[in-house]
Amino acid sequence: MQIESVLDTKGILIVYIKQIRLTTILCPLLLAAVVVVFTSCSHRKAADATMPWGEVSDTVSSAGGFDLDRIQSGGELIMLTLSGPDTYYDYHGRQSGTHYMLCQRFADMLGVSLRVDVCRDTVEMLRKLAAGDADVIACPLPKNLHVPSTVDTSAIRLIYCGATTDSLRRQWVVSADKPLLAEALDDWYRPEMLAEVRREEARSMGNGHVRRHVHAPMLDRKAGVISRYDGFFKTHCQSIRWDWRLMAAQCYQESTFDPNARSWAGACGLMQIMPSTADHLHLPMSRIYDPESNIAAAARFIGELENMFRDIPDRSERIRFVLACYNGGPLHIRDAMALAARDGRDHHRWSDVSEYVLKLSDPRYYNDPLVRHGYMRGAETVDYVARICRRWQSYEGVKGGHAGFSVMSPRKAKHRKKKYQI
């Protein structure tokens, strides 16, 4: 009876033992064997659940608190945010935004990668945080946050920590089951970091964000030579039926005919091709600065963009949309087209759609339910299209262009009143 009383605390093991009839002499031996086996299994399960390679990671509940130690062992920090200039946006294929850049600094400090989940609104962020789908809301929330009645408040316990704005009235948030993460964020963050990141972002977005030598937009007007690369433009524009002078005008806008130009975002070469785009176009990084390879890849990309916008019947209009996509991305341009169509404007006319490209920097528009891809720096894209089209007009009198590469040396642009005359 004494043995049965002890084994009653062992759960299902008691059922097995009661089925065996042993003498009182063997019972102590049996009890000792059961305890050894049970202890061994318990230690094995505990070890399996914490193996760094995660062979039995399904034994760990995602809602059980994925605190700092597990984030570091997993190698990834997941942040929730909203689209916006101060939070997160895509710029030429590169992630940006003040609070995104801050969170990237924190992830770098932890030695983990950063994954971004852009949500539609605050309610979605809170729901995902409560469900354990992310680690931190890296989008400042007010400390007197009103949670809508549609959200189960019993599942939401928050710790305000990390980056702050508005004299501490708004701050990043983690769930209450991650106290170590909250403590690490508070220990890491310094108020001056916000200004540092904003200065870094402003420098990268300024006029000097592309490292390049500035050459004149016309190599030899009398001879009808725009650049040393006219032959390459003429050759590779044939397959996409583009005016080679238009591509030359675009190239000047991208790099001022400097084959070694490189932007802060990582765009490379004459036509400023991003590494991810180069990979998509099967352009090896070893040849991304090669003038003809770079131009040829850009021509293929332009052809792809034209095919995406075949729904625009007017070719002259489509060209403007393609230029806008090359700079700002086709998804943002489709968002602007959707807004224009909703408001009764001609969504196949650039003069109408460009107004909505500009409006995509306004939260009233980039937070519109119709907009699927959030904030964009629309003013830059509209200016990009306008400058190329003006320069294209200035090149229209040029009839030259030969196959291959010109041996003429490029001229530096004339410097006048601290601005390059173009």
Side-chain angles (χ1 to χ4, degrees):
M1 293 296 295
Q2 186 176 2
I3 294 175
E4 289 184 357
S5 176
V6 172
L7 290 178
D8 280 347
T9 64
K10 303 300 182 180
I12 197 162
L13 291 176
I14 186 66
V15 177
Y16 175 72
I17 293 173
K18 283 184 176 180
Q19 292 174 350
I20 302 175
R21 301 191 178 278
L22 301 171
T23 64
T24 55
I25 299 175
L26 294 178
C27 280
L29 295 176
L30 178 60
L31 175 60
V34 170
V35 170
V36 169
V37 171
F38 182 81
T39 304
S40 175
C41 290
S42 299
H43 283 309
R44 180 179 178 185
K45 287 181 179 178
D48 285 347
T50 56
M51 286 296 101
W53 48 85
E55 291 182 351
V56 288
S57 59
D58 58 323
T59 63
V60 181
S61 171
S62 62
F66 212 75
D67 207 357
L68 183 63
D69 52 346
R70 291 183 177 175
I71 291 171
Q72 289 180 301
S73 63
E76 183 181 62
L77 177 72
I78 304 174
M79 66 169 273
L80 298 170
T81 189
L82 303 175
S83 179
D86 292 329
T87 50
Y88 174 85
Y89 62 96
D90 181 276
Y91 180 73
H92 291 194
R94 177 165 175 162
Q95 297 166 308
S96 194
T98 304
H99 287 275
Y100 161 76
M101 294 171 70
L102 272 174
C103 199
Q104 182 63 68
R105 283 191 178 192
F106 178 68
D108 291 342
M109 186 273 292
L110 293 180
V112 300
S113 63
L114 179 64
R115 175 150 58 98
V116 182
D117 187 348
V118 182
C119 299
R120 172 60 64 180
D121 51 32
T122 302
V123 171
E124 185 181 357
M125 289 196 297
L126 291 172
R127 282 175 175 159
K128 288 188 174 183
L129 191 70
D133 294 336
D135 304 308
V136 58
I137 296 179
C139 173
L141 297 182
K143 293 191 175 182
N144 58 347
L145 179 66
H146 170 70
V147 180
S149 58
T150 55
V151 181
D152 181 10
T153 55
S154 64
I156 301 178
R157 293 180 301 121
L158 306 176
I159 301 177
Y160 287 82
C161 55
T164 63
T165 59
D166 302 333
S167 302
L168 306 181
R169 289 197 297 271
R170 294 188 299 161
Q171 198 168 17
W172 290 3
V173 168
V174 303
S175 61
D177 62 351
K178 293 182 173 63
L180 296 179
L181 175 60
E183 183 180 351
L185 280 164
D186 282 334
D187 290 344
W188 162 79
Y189 181 71
R190 295 175 288 105
E192 58 267 26
M193 283 183 174
L194 198 61
E196 290 173 3
V197 167
R198 283 174 174 161
R199 285 194 298 269
E200 178 186 339
E201 187 177 17
R203 284 195 302 269
S204 65
M205 299 294 182
N207 293 330
H209 72 283
V210 179
R211 297 197 305 270
R212 62 192 180 188
H213 295 291
V214 179
H215 301 299
M218 195 78 172
L219 184 59
D220 190 335
R221 185 172 295 275
K222 290 182 179 179
V225 178
I226 296 174
S227 74
R228 304 176 72 188
Y229 314 105
D230 289 0
F232 297 148
F233 295 135
K234 192 171 184 181
T235 297
H236 296 288
C237 281
Q238 291 177 2
S239 60
I240 59 172
R241 296 177 57 245
W242 262 42
D243 185 338
W244 68 273
R245 295 164 296 188
L246 170 59
M247 195 174 188
Q250 184 184 7
C251 182
Y252 188 81
Q253 185 63 33
E254 290 286 353
S255 66
T256 68
F257 299 136
D258 180 4
N260 297 311
R262 180 181 174 85
S263 77
W264 71 275
C268 304
L270 284 169
M271 298 298 292
Q272 288 292 279
I273 296 176
M274 291 291 292
S276 58
T277 306
D279 185 60
H280 165 71
L281 297 168
H282 306 292
L283 172 63
M285 288 301 295
S286 60
R287 295 193 60 78
I288 199 167
Y289 289 105
D290 174 69
E292 183 170 17
S293 299
N294 193 280
I295 290 170
R300 292 196 298 275
F301 187 49
I302 289 169
E304 288 184 4
L305 293 174
E306 271 229 70
N307 286 329
M308 290 181 192
F309 286 80
R310 284 290 175 189
D311 54 308
I312 300 174
D314 188 306
R315 182 79 190 285
S316 63
E317 290 292 340
R318 193 190 315 142
I319 284 172
R320 286 161 174 78
F321 280 86
V322 169
L323 291 172
C325 292
Y326 195 101
N327 177 262
L331 300 179
H332 288 305
I333 302 306
R334 285 294 184 186
D335 280 344
M337 292 172 71
L339 290 171
R342 181 200 63 187
D343 293 348
R345 306 295 293 276
D346 187 348
H347 64 293
H348 288 163
R349 181 185 298 165
W350 175 246
S351 60
D352 285 1
V353 173
S354 63
E355 293 181 22
Y356 291 87
V357 172
L358 293 171
K359 289 175 179 178
L360 284 176
S361 61
D362 184 333
R364 293 175 298 174
Y365 289 89
Y366 65 71
N367 286 327
D368 190 295
L370 200 60
V371 174
R372 300 177 59 188
H373 302 97
Y375 170 87
M376 80 171 293
R377 293 167 58 90
E380 180 177 314
T381 297
V382 172
D383 182 64
Y384 176 88
V385 175
R387 284 176 176 268
I388 291 172
C389 288
R390 285 198 301 268
R391 187 164 293 113
W392 182 26
Q393 287 182 330
S394 73
Y395 288 163
E396 282 185 345
V398 177
K399 296 181 180 180
H402 53 278
F405 175 75
S406 172
V407 295
M408 298 178 67
S409 298
R411 294 186 296 111
K412 289 186 177 180
K414 293 181 180 179
H415 193 268
R416 182 177 295 176
K417 294 182 180 180
K418 297 184 179 180
K419 290 186 179 180
Y420 290 105
Q421 182 185 12
I422 58 175

